[in-house]
Amino acid sequence: MSGATVEEVQIQEALLFSETIKGLKTLRSQLYSAAEYFELAYTQQDEKQAVTNNLKEYAVKALVNTVDHLGSISFKVSSLIDQRFSEATDADLRISCIHQRTQASQACVDREGISQQSLVITAPKYHKRYILPAQGQSMPSAMPNFREMNKVVVTGRASQMHQVFSAAETRAKEKKQPSLRKLQSIARLPSQRARSASPAQRAHPMAPAKNATPTNRADKRSESPVPSTAPAPLTRSASLSKKASLLKTSSVRAQAAVSQPKKLAPMRTQVDRSDDSKDGERTPKKSKKFLKSILSRRKSRKDEPLPSYFDDY
Amino acid sequence: MGRGGGMGNPVNVGIAVQADWENREFISNISLNVRRLFDFLLRFEATTKSKLASLNEKLDILERKLEVLEVQVGSATTNPSVFN
């Protein structure tokens, strides 16, 4: 209702404005016609004094009326312009509000995009030997925390990885769980234990670092990200250190020596090779016994002739 | 415009001159007011023109801002993947 009344008032004001403008337009013709009339009356009538007085009164009234018309029209025009100014200011405010909203939304979108892009992490690929699986946990729990790694940008990659892996190693040490390799080596056969008890490792039981130095050829090939001077080595080198600690005990020392040549064949030393040659001298006696047992079993089953290759033994 | 009466009489001549001066004063007043009215109209025209010019400039700025916003909204609606 208020909107309708405002519109009606505006329409009435517009009608009045148009009427006053029409009155101003007709004022010129009225003044010209009045001037002609008074001129004729002054020339034709005898009472010139009365005509003059009427002319004076008409001129004064016409002037006052003109001023009134012009004043009202100027006021209406100025009010109309002010109204348009206020409307333009309101529109400017609305536009600035919309612009601010768009800026805020754009900033929000940018922030969201930045957060999304920051979450995209290129997980570094490491060798399996560098991953330390924890017992009772899944593999991602045993993996290093990549978010922590990405936090440090200024420091070098090697020091970063060293920190993370040292943290993972301390975690593993706290739980005091044996590594997978250790468990595998414990579960070896006794024959392998006996074979792996090489004199080379017995000769240097108190210096495991010297024993580990020939095996560094594999390290050079795999390009370990952690520098060699690091105080806490990687998980792979942790196995070496654990092996060194295990060498103090005789039983576990043999197990570690057995497990090592199977997985890291190129890491074997020349001393181990000489031990293997000695073992190779022992093996014909064992193989002879084994073949004799097979022969006796086969003779008992069948009386078929044996293949020719058994004659070699 | 002189008043009626004998023109030869110096008294009548004096009255006629006074009336003539009164008429001249009236006309001068009317012309002065008309000139004032004309000055007012000139000033009103000037102020109205300046107001209209400023209003036009303001409307131009608003129009440009609206065009910018329209383009931004159009680009956002044509590329909805930005908001996903």
Side-chain angles (χ1 to χ4, degrees), chain A residues 236-276:
Chain A
R236 181 173 170 271
S237 58
S239 64
L240 289 172
S241 63
K242 283 177 183 175
K243 185 186 75 180
S245 63
L246 289 169
L247 284 171
K248 291 175 183 177
T249 60
S250 64
S251 61
V252 184
R253 191 194 320 157
Q255 292 159 10
V258 167
S259 62
Q260 191 178 6
K262 195 168 186 179
K263 289 192 176 181
L264 303 170
M267 296 164 65
R268 294 172 63 188
T269 59
Q270 292 180 352
V271 181
D272 292 336
R273 283 171 191 164
S274 63
D275 290 340
D276 287 342

Side-chain angles (χ1 to χ4, degrees), chain A residues 56 63 70 74 85 89 92, chain B residues 23 41 44 54 58 62 65:
Chain A
K56 284 181 180 177
L63 185 63
L70 287 174
S74 63
F85 257 101
T89 307
D92 192 9
Chain B
N23 289 332
L41 286 174
F44 176 73
S54 60
K58 210 166 190 176
L62 289 176
K65 285 183 179 179

Side-chain angles (χ1 to χ4, degrees), chain A residues 74-132:
Chain A
S74 63
F75 173 73
K76 287 179 181 177
V77 167
S78 59
S79 66
L80 201 67
I81 290 171
D82 290 338
Q83 188 179 352
R84 293 290 180 269
F85 257 101
S86 63
E87 288 178 358
T89 307
D90 290 340
D92 192 9
L93 280 173
R94 288 177 186 173
I95 288 170
S96 61
C97 182
I98 293 168
H99 188 64
Q100 194 172 358
R101 284 181 185 177
T102 53
Q103 280 184 346
S105 64
Q106 189 68 32
C108 187
V109 168
D110 291 342
R111 212 179 300 128
E112 187 68 24
I114 288 167
S115 63
Q116 283 181 2
Q117 291 297 321
S118 64
L119 287 174
V120 176
I121 297 167
T122 55
K125 292 179 180 178
Y126 300 118
H127 198 271
K128 286 181 181 178
R129 286 176 288 182
Y130 295 112
I131 299 166
L132 180 67

